Amino acid sequence: MPHKIGFVVVSSSGHEDGFSARELMIHAPTVSGWRSPRFCQFPQEIVLQMVERCRIRKLQLLAHQYMISSRVEFYISESLPEYFSPYQAERFRRLGYVSLCDNEMTGCKARELKSVYVDAVGQFLKLIFHENHANKYNVYNQVALVAINIIGDPADLGDESNIASREKLIDQYLGHNTEDPALEGTCTGKSDYISPLDDLAFDMYQDPEVAQIIRKLDERKREAVQKERYDYAKKLKQAIADLQKVGERLGRFEVEKRCAVEKEDYDLAKEKKQQMERYRGRAYARLQLHGLLDAELVRRPLGLPLQPLVPPGSPRHQPATLLPPPREEGVTENRFAEPLLQDKLSSHSLDTSQQPPVDQSLPATHPHLKTHLQSLPYDERPLPAIHKQPGAAAMEPEDGDMGMSEAPRGATAGEPEPLTEKALREASSAVDALGEALVAGAYSKTWSYREDALLALYKRLVEMPVGTPKEDLKSAVRASIFLIRRAIRDIVMPVFQASLKLLKMVITQYIPKHKLSKLDTTYCVERTVPVLLTRTGDSSARLRIVASNFIQEIALFKDVKSLQMIPCYLVQPLKTNASTHLALSQMDLLARLLKDLGTNDTGFTVDNVMKFSVGALEHRVYEVRETAVRIILDMYKHHRALTLDYLPPDDSSTRKNVLYKTIFEGFAKLDGRPTEAEVRAQKKVATEEAEKRKKDEIKALQGQLAALKETQAEVQEKESEVTKAKDPDAQGRKAAPPNTPEALDTHCLDNLCIFCGERSDSFTEEGLDLHYWKHCLMLARCDHCRQVVEIASLTEHLLTECDKKDGFGKCYRCNEAVLKEELPKHIKTRDCNPAKPEKLANRCPLCHENFTPGEEAWKAHLMGAAGCTMNPRRTHVPHQPGKGPAMSKSGTSGAKAGSKIPTPKGGLSRSSGRTYTKR
């Protein structure tokens, strides 16, 4: 009959911390299951090994509520493929795939239980998870599996299956019908019948202890049906139905209690616990009232919390509430997997109908072993082999009286199994020094014997007298280190901790006590620390922490510190194919020991630490790179100049790398210098303040200029009124003699350029316009609006007056007008010559040079022999005859006005020349 098949997890492509694939080996309401790493690559895969070669009939998957794979593929194999075992060429055979719902209909609040019926034979099952369904809750693109259930029956039945089929043919020939309707729903009713108790939903929603009781009652019900005790079977059927409701409610209470603990609401957790105990006690009392509950089903006084019947360290011990193990200890569940596999492989296969119940197959001389096996949940019990003993009488299950005393450790088999020939050859030196019995315990397949062997060795070394010969002491050390190396690789946490305890005692007590040489300490360190470093990359977070803390503690011991060996191991370059946990642990351990030991005669030097850290900056894992940056900054605190020798120069190209930018900014903070970001912020603030001041000055000047224009207009109006008020016959009179003062002043301003001071007889009104348009060295033509403006005011014209002024911006360094599309590049290149304040220098917009302040300096710069070389009108220096103070003054006043000369002929105002002449 198909039944639940036990399995262990062989490998997985990865998992998130605390959600190992080994969680799938436990079925309980509070189990968390497996989760893929965050932002992992697809597909992800998990390989399971079943306890025996079997024919799989049904597969069940319980998906996560929102971390849902779009498709899951199934592969099966008789053995591991060649990438696991190099000498096996067998490959996985594809069975098919199932698609999972995206769960949008339920709002990602329900879990999908997918059942698949198959017919395949093998011992290894591989699951491949494809890309996840996208939803708002799955922000890290993960896939998860809460539980998996395998239902099947053994495939290697051999001759027994032939015997069973032959007996079936005989029964059919004689007219015996095995398909009796009275047996419907029992294990003998149908050969392919699958019990509801083996369904995944039963374990995932039932309290584990109640589920164990239900299975035992179901076994009794089947036996009662076979013996035609129908009244008793009816009672058991009703009890099972009632217990199922009890188990589901207790399962809900357990989940609520776990949620309260996670929220640190311990009052609510205590209330839930007491509520569970009261409810469980009432349910058990009803069973006892009907005579269905005995010590075999629940081995504890009613009303008291469950207590383990075996010591906590026993390999068969499991808490009655079946809470999942701590997530950090991802390998604890192998305590059941190892004996399960070995017991099953060594036992003979039996037909299901011929197997007696578990408690009847055990010898009468081992009642405690019976208690051990019954304390395990159904899916984790080893299938029993036949123990035929003469005179052993069958016993009714309900009449059995089990002892309440605790079983001693090791009672499951009495003694550890003897060493194999290979083990004897491998451990011959340890056997000679420590004895075969102790080494056999260290090599045992039961983890409790391995732990006991290490503890016994610890006690022997502590009690070894001081006067023991040196050769015996050294032999004991080397034999102990041999066993410690083996135990450090052990996947069971108690054995691993026992090995660390023994190693610490050997290094810190045994060697100093017996005054052994430094060579013995060196031997211990070099044989164990590399193995310990590999364990810091284990998938179990608890084991990684224990291993790292132990290495740090041993490295600070004075005898080990003087050897300077552990720092040398830590600065070895990271391997590209090393696991993420291993790289992170090595970096973290290096950072901690560097703070504790320093770089003075400790094995750490500036050279090896910096080379290691700079190499770690290229690692693929962000946390490793971040730790490397922290180590480099710590080194810079103590060795500033030496640290810089191992880094590239601090320039713009190097700072494009974010890590180096962070490092150099960290250096600046340590030195008390402002970082590049702070410098940029300060410059930005200074620029904004300068721009604000400039705008205020321009605004004030514009206001003054407007006031001057208004005043000038009023003066001109008054002059015109005075002229009109004079004698109206003045126009008919002859002009005043040329030697009068007014005629003299007019004569001085005629034929004179008020900008450059040049005088010429050709400077009539039209001649002056032509001079302004083409030849005056103090003027320039705007290339954008075609107006003639003074060179001194060209920048202001482009920014405020030109028709194209919206296309110009002002450079904060040189204060000149630059096209806006070229302004960012102009500012970034920093090629412009910085301008000085107006009170200190004038700024030429043609040659971009600073020169002496003042308005007369403009003439010297634009018209002098050593003046501006970029003036396009400068072909020669004009001769200025008769230039006097009056001319200079008038030219200066014209410059102040910021003149604009329009295009001649095409729009040239004749009054413009007169305006300048009047000035």
Side-chain angles (χ1 to χ4, degrees):
M1 182 186 73
H3 59 274
K4 179 178 285 192
I5 302 295
F7 63 87
V8 294
V9 177
V10 176
S11 69
S12 66
S13 54
H15 63 85
E16 185 179 357
D17 286 346
F19 298 93
S20 170
R22 296 173 190 255
E23 293 276 341
L24 299 175
M25 297 161 57
I26 301 174
H27 294 168
T30 55
V31 74
S32 301
W34 166 82
R35 287 186 189 177
S36 69
R38 296 180 177 183
F39 301 113
C40 62
Q41 294 182 351
F42 291 99
Q44 294 282 302
E45 81 173 37
I46 297 176
V47 179
L48 309 177
Q49 178 184 0
M50 289 166 280
V51 296
E52 61 180 344
R53 182 175 178 270
C54 63
R55 179 179 298 277
I56 301 176
R57 301 291 189 179
K58 184 178 180 181
L59 293 173
Q60 291 182 297
L61 303 178
L62 183 59
H64 196 267
Q65 58 266 31
Y66 58 85
M67 298 181 186
I68 308 170
S69 175
S70 60
R71 189 173 67 174
V72 182
E73 293 187 69
F74 301 96
Y75 292 80
I76 196 167
S77 175
E78 297 284 348
S79 60
L80 286 178
E82 57 186 1
Y83 52 84
F84 286 103
S85 301
Y87 302 105
Q88 298 289 337
E90 178 97 14
R91 297 270 183 187
F92 280 99
R93 178 170 56 88
R94 187 173 185 271
L95 298 179
Y97 73 92
V98 294
S99 298
L100 299 178
C101 177
D102 57 8
N103 216 5
E104 290 183 357
M105 297 292 293
T106 66
C108 297
K109 294 181 180 178
R111 294 173 175 174
E112 180 182 7
L113 178 61
K114 179 75 76 173
S115 297
V116 184
Y117 291 89
V118 296
D119 187 5
V121 177
Q123 191 172 1
F124 293 89
L125 181 68
K126 180 166 70 171
L127 286 75
I128 295 183
F129 298 84
H130 290 269
E131 193 170 357
N132 61 291
H133 285 297
N135 56 64
K136 63 181 180 180
Y137 303 103
N138 193 0
V139 294
Y140 300 114
N141 293 335
Q142 295 172 272
V143 293
L145 184 64
V146 179
I148 180 173
N149 190 28
I150 304 174
I151 297 177
D153 40 21
D156 298 329
L157 295 179
D159 296 334
E160 284 130 354
S161 62
N162 297 331
I163 294 172
S165 60
R166 188 160 57 248
E167 290 177 352
K168 187 174 181 180
L169 290 173
I170 294 173
D171 290 338
Q172 290 179 355
Y173 180 76
L174 296 176
H176 297 165
N177 185 13
T178 58
E179 306 292 336
D180 191 348
L183 301 179
E184 183 67 29
T186 66
C187 64
T188 58
K190 294 182 180 179
S191 61
D192 58 348
Y193 171 76
I194 298 176
S195 171
L197 305 184
D198 289 334
D199 195 270
L200 183 59
F202 178 78
D203 282 318
M204 297 306 294
Y205 298 104
Q206 284 283 337
D207 176 74
E209 181 184 345
V210 175
Q212 181 181 350
I213 296 174
I214 290 175
R215 287 193 172 98
K216 291 181 179 179
L217 291 179
D218 186 67
E219 292 176 6
R220 294 184 180 182
K221 184 189 73 171
R222 293 200 302 265
E223 293 173 4
V225 170
Q226 289 176 355
K227 296 178 182 179
E228 298 185 353
R229 300 177 57 191
Y230 298 122
D231 291 336
Y232 184 60
K234 182 178 178 181
K235 255 181 163 180
L236 290 172
K237 178 182 177 182
Q238 185 61 41
I240 290 173
D242 294 340
L243 275 178
Q244 285 182 346
K245 298 178 182 178
V246 172
E248 289 179 3
R249 189 168 182 182
L250 287 174
R252 285 197 299 271
F253 286 159
E254 181 66 31
V255 173
E256 292 171 1
K257 183 181 75 172
R258 177 67 62 87
C259 293
V261 171
E262 291 178 354
K263 296 177 181 178
E264 298 187 355
D265 188 353
Y266 301 117
D267 292 335
L268 179 60
K270 182 180 178 182
E271 180 184 346
K272 291 295 178 184
K273 178 183 177 184
Q274 294 173 351
Q275 189 176 3
M276 289 174 63
E277 291 176 351
R278 290 194 299 269
Y279 188 67
R280 192 190 302 272
R282 289 197 298 268
Y284 290 170
R286 288 196 299 270
L287 286 178
Q288 196 174 31
L289 181 65
H290 294 287
L292 301 177
L293 192 71
D294 52 21
E296 183 180 356
L297 294 179
V298 181
R299 295 171 300 282
R300 71 175 181 103
L302 291 176
L304 296 178
L306 290 174
Q307 298 294 333
L309 296 180
V310 291
S314 174
R316 298 293 185 184
H317 167 65
Q318 172 76 359
T321 56
L322 279 186
L323 292 178
R327 290 177 178 171
E328 299 86 10
E329 193 173 352
V331 297
T332 310
E333 47 269 31
N334 281 348
R335 301 179 186 181
F336 303 106
E338 283 185 2
L340 180 63
L341 284 174
Q342 287 147 11
D343 291 347
K344 185 62 190 174
L345 293 176
S346 62
S347 63
H348 298 286
S349 301
L350 295 176
D351 189 274
T352 311
S353 61
Q354 296 177 355
Q355 289 185 1
V358 175
D359 50 351
Q360 291 185 12
S361 65
L362 299 173
T365 56
H366 293 284
H368 297 301
L369 178 57
K370 191 167 163 186
T371 303
H372 277 299
L373 296 180
Q374 290 179 343
S375 66
L376 295 176
Y378 178 81
D379 57 339
E380 292 181 355
R381 286 189 216 157
L383 298 179
I386 288 184
H387 299 275
K388 291 186 178 179
Q389 304 233 353
M395 188 186 303
E396 276 290 319
E398 56 266 28
D399 298 333
D401 186 14
M402 306 303 297
M404 298 294 292
S405 61
E406 293 188 356
R409 293 182 65 177
T412 55
E415 294 293 336
E417 58 271 21
L419 292 171
T420 63
E421 292 184 5
K422 179 182 177 182
L424 277 173
R425 289 195 301 270
E426 181 181 307
S428 58
S429 59
V431 170
D432 295 340
L434 304 176
E436 185 174 351
L438 193 146
V439 177
Y443 269 76
S444 174
K445 295 178 181 178
T446 304
W447 69 267
S448 59
Y449 292 146
R450 300 197 296 271
E451 182 186 10
D452 290 341
L454 294 175
L455 296 178
L457 179 57
Y458 179 94
K459 184 177 180 181
R460 179 189 296 188
L461 294 181
V462 168
E463 296 175 353
M464 189 168 288
V466 177
T468 308
K470 294 288 184 182
E471 291 301 324
D472 295 343
L473 294 173
K474 291 183 178 181
S475 300
V477 167
R478 279 160 172 71
S480 301
I481 294 301
F482 175 80
L483 297 182
I484 289 171
R485 274 175 57 89
R486 179 180 175 84
I488 287 175
R489 298 188 181 97
D490 204 298
I491 62 175
V492 180
M493 193 66 183
V495 180
F496 177 73
Q497 290 177 326
S499 67
L500 298 186
K501 179 181 178 182
L502 178 58
L503 177 61
K504 182 180 177 181
M505 186 275 297
V506 170
I507 294 177
T508 61
Q509 299 178 24
Y510 183 84
I511 293 178
K513 174 183 175 181
H514 297 284
K515 298 180 181 180
L516 298 180
S517 65
K518 188 178 288 188
L519 292 175
D520 297 297
T521 306
T522 304
Y523 178 81
C524 295
V525 172
E526 70 182 3
R527 296 291 293 170
T528 56
V529 170
V531 186
L532 268 175
L533 283 173
T534 60
R535 293 314 303 273
T536 59
D538 195 87
S539 59
S540 169
R542 181 183 175 191
L543 194 146
R544 293 197 303 269
I545 294 172
V546 171
S548 298
N549 292 339
F550 181 82
I551 294 174
Q552 183 181 10
E553 182 182 1
I554 288 297
L556 297 177
F557 184 64
K558 60 180 182 178
D559 292 341
V560 178
K561 180 180 177 181
S562 61
L563 298 176
Q564 303 181 10
M565 295 179 64
I566 294 180
C568 296
Y569 290 125
L570 294 178
V571 294
Q572 296 296 323
L574 296 173
K575 297 180 180 179
T576 55
N577 58 349
S579 68
T580 301
H581 292 313
L582 181 60
L584 285 173
S585 299
Q586 184 174 345
M587 293 295 298
D588 181 66
L589 196 54
L590 173 62
R592 285 189 287 165
L593 278 180
L594 192 59
K595 289 183 179 179
D596 295 336
L597 298 176
T599 56
N600 295 326
D601 297 330
T602 60
F604 288 127
T605 63
V606 178
D607 181 70
N608 59 25
V609 173
M610 285 303 300
K611 285 182 178 179
F612 173 81
S613 303
V614 172
L617 292 176
E618 306 296 330
H619 200 271
R620 68 182 188 278
V621 180
Y622 168 74
E623 290 81 0
V624 174
R625 301 194 298 269
E626 194 176 36
T627 308
V629 171
R630 192 169 68 248
I631 292 173
I632 292 174
L633 293 177
D634 290 340
M635 291 294 294
Y636 185 78
K637 289 180 183 178
H638 304 93
H639 311 280
R640 297 180 185 264
L642 295 175
T643 304
L644 294 175
D645 294 339
Y646 297 90
L647 298 173
D650 184 8
D651 51 24
S652 59
S653 61
T654 304
R655 283 181 177 262
K656 291 179 181 178
N657 188 317
V658 179
L659 292 176
Y660 285 115
K661 181 180 179 181
T662 305
I663 291 171
F664 288 125
E665 288 184 354
F667 290 169
K669 289 181 180 179
L670 293 175
D671 294 338
R673 296 181 284 109
T675 62
E676 186 179 0
E678 293 174 347
V679 170
R680 285 199 303 269
Q682 293 173 0
K683 286 183 178 180
K684 184 178 181 181
V685 172
T687 303
E688 290 175 354
E689 292 178 354
E691 289 286 344
K692 186 177 180 182
R693 288 197 303 270
K694 189 68 175 176
K695 288 180 180 179
D696 294 341
E697 291 176 2
I698 292 173
K699 189 175 181 180
L701 290 174
Q702 288 176 347
Q704 294 175 5
L705 183 60
L708 287 174
K709 287 182 179 180
E710 291 178 0
T711 304
Q712 185 178 6
E714 292 175 358
V715 170
Q716 288 179 356
E717 288 178 2
K718 289 180 180 180
E719 288 180 356
S720 62
E721 290 176 0
V722 169
T723 304
K724 291 179 181 179
K726 287 182 180 180
D727 188 9
D729 298 332
Q731 296 179 358
R733 294 198 302 262
K734 292 184 179 178
N739 55 359
T740 62
E742 290 181 351
L744 218 89
D745 185 49
T746 304
H747 178 70
C748 291
L749 292 179
D750 287 342
N751 305 327
L752 176 68
C753 175
I754 62 175
F755 297 98
C756 64
E758 183 179 356
R759 186 184 294 276
S760 175
D761 294 337
S762 61
F763 286 175
T764 61
E765 289 181 358
E766 293 181 0
L768 277 173
D769 288 341
L770 185 62
H771 172 75
Y772 295 152
W773 181 250
K774 289 187 176 181
H775 304 297
C776 184
L777 298 178
M778 299 294 293
L779 304 178
R781 198 174 350 176
C782 176
D783 295 331
H784 302 279
C785 65
R786 310 305 295 172
Q787 288 186 350
V788 176
V789 296
E790 288 188 88
I791 296 175
S793 61
L794 179 60
T795 299
E796 184 180 354
H797 165 77
L798 292 173
L799 293 174
T800 60
E801 298 173 351
C802 183
D803 296 339
K804 306 291 185 180
K805 62 183 178 181
D806 294 334
F808 285 88
K810 187 175 182 179
C811 174
Y812 72 92
R813 285 173 54 85
C814 61
N815 293 337
E816 292 185 16
V818 183
L819 289 172
K820 286 186 177 180
E821 56 264 27
E822 298 177 4
L823 185 59
K825 181 179 179 182
H826 174 83
I827 294 174
K828 186 175 181 180
T829 54
R830 299 184 180 181
D831 292 333
C832 58
N833 184 23
K836 295 182 180 179
E838 292 180 357
K839 295 181 179 180
L840 300 180
N842 289 327
R843 176 79 177 186
C844 178
L846 300 179
C847 65
H848 315 296
E849 294 293 333
N850 299 319
F851 54 91
T852 55
E855 295 177 357
E856 288 296 326
W858 277 105
K859 286 188 178 183
H861 176 71
L862 294 173
M863 301 175 59
C868 180
T869 59
M870 302 300 295
N871 192 342
R873 298 186 178 185
R874 184 172 179 178
T875 56
H876 65 281
V877 178
H879 180 62
Q880 303 175 12
K883 179 180 177 183
M887 303 172 198
S888 177
K889 185 175 181 181
S890 63
T892 302
S893 64
K896 282 184 180 180
S899 306
K900 293 186 291 184
I901 292 84
T903 306
K905 304 296 182 183
L908 183 63
S909 175
R910 301 180 69 87
S911 65
S912 63
R914 297 193 191 98
T915 302
Y916 290 124
T917 304
K918 286 180 181 179
R919 286 193 214 149

